Amino acid sequence: MSAKVETPFIKQLSLPDNRLLAYLLDDAPEGAPVVLLSNPLCTNIAVWDHIVPVLNHAGFRTLRYDQPGHGDSSAPADLTTTTFDSMVEDVAYMLDALEIPRLWAWVGVSMGAAKGVFFATSHPGVVGRLVVCDTIACSPANAGVEDPFGPRVASARAEGGMEGNTQATLQRWFGDAWLEGHPKEAERMRRVVMRTSVDGMETCCNALASETFDLRPLLRRVGGAVDEAVCVVGEKDANLPRTMGDMRAQIEDGFREAGKTGEVELVVIPDAGHVCFVDGLEDFVRLVPRFIQAEKK
């Protein structure tokens, strides 16, 4: 059974295919611009609990939501149907239902960052500022490398739950030394990951493993779709500092092609891993509000 993480005031929206999408929109600051926070795989709304007060204090409302089969969002009946395009349309439906025509910023990490690129380029002008954190550029099939997602799903299916995957996930994200040195936060993250259903993990892993997942043709289009962008990565997140350096260059080329000035920055958060706003919290909360605060109206 999944461990419960208590986050108040979560609401559920019924999607056109009758799935439920869980979301949490701040009431205050009243009338403030909205920053959407998009989750990594195997996390839910509660993963952002340390970030939301910082953004509220900076004068923003936040909108959080759960990926399919994560937290309080339901998975599709057919687990093979989830793609980044379908998840983008879930978000578009949510924004329309909540009467939010424009996001001040999209802050996404891992799968949530990849989804931000898909969303911004398919709905140009809706996202003002795009924060792309710790994401791969494409599926293993498109990269020509071994698929890490299938074996994780198979392991969870064989176990009949998320317990084994949860520990492996936390070790991959943070490393044993950080987990041992931060037991309270490690336990919070364990509870967060445990709220993912195996169906939710499988359907989102299917999206990540699909040949339809490829950011590379989209990166140069970001410049014509948003006002500003920044790339953020944890220093210890495998080869992603190099990979995201390449992404940054492509995004910046797109800004130039769109006739926009200014550089697209790559920020490497020291000693942080894949979920850089957790083990790199202090650096993250210095960076992101500063980036999105510019010319706030």
Side-chain angles (χ1 to χ4, degrees), residues 36-186:
L36 182 142
L37 304 173
S38 192
N39 309 344
L41 179 70
C42 291
T43 67
N44 59 72
I45 284 170
V47 76
W48 298 101
D49 282 353
H50 298 332
I51 304 299
V52 169
V54 176
L55 291 175
N56 291 160
H57 181 72
F60 299 99
R61 298 164 71 200
T62 68
L63 172 59
R64 298 180 266 173
Y65 69 101
D66 286 335
Q67 314 284 13
H70 291 58
D72 292 301
S73 287
S74 55
D78 183 348
L79 301 180
T80 67
T81 59
T82 300
T83 64
F84 278 90
D85 287 325
S86 72
M87 291 188 288
V88 158
E89 291 315 302
D90 289 348
V91 174
Y93 188 87
M94 174 179 65
L95 294 179
D96 185 62
L98 297 176
E99 299 182 343
I100 300 174
R102 180 171 166 85
L103 294 168
W104 183 261
W106 178 302
V107 180
V109 176
S110 190
M111 184 175 76
K115 192 189 294 189
V117 174
F118 271 87
F119 185 94
T121 53
S122 61
H123 295 78
V126 175
V127 177
R129 291 150 182 79
L130 182 62
V131 183
V132 181
C133 307
D134 295 271
T135 185
I136 57 177
C138 62
S139 67
N142 288 325
V145 298
E146 186 176 354
D147 174 24
F149 301 111
R152 294 173 196 169
V153 173
S155 173
R157 286 290 177 204
E159 182 186 13
M162 289 293 293
E163 186 66 45
N165 263 275
T166 294
Q167 185 59 30
T169 296
L170 296 179
Q171 289 173 322
R172 187 169 59 250
W173 286 353
F174 305 116
D176 288 331
W178 187 89
L179 294 172
E180 292 169 7
H182 301 81
K184 184 176 179 179
E185 187 66 357

Side-chain angles (χ1 to χ4, degrees), residues 273-295:
H274 188 59
V275 187
C276 62
F277 64 94
V278 174
D279 52 353
L281 176 64
E282 292 184 4
D283 288 291
F284 192 87
V285 298
R286 280 195 295 267
L287 162 71
V288 171
R290 174 178 60 81
F291 169 71
I292 64 175
Q293 186 77 26
E295 299 179 3

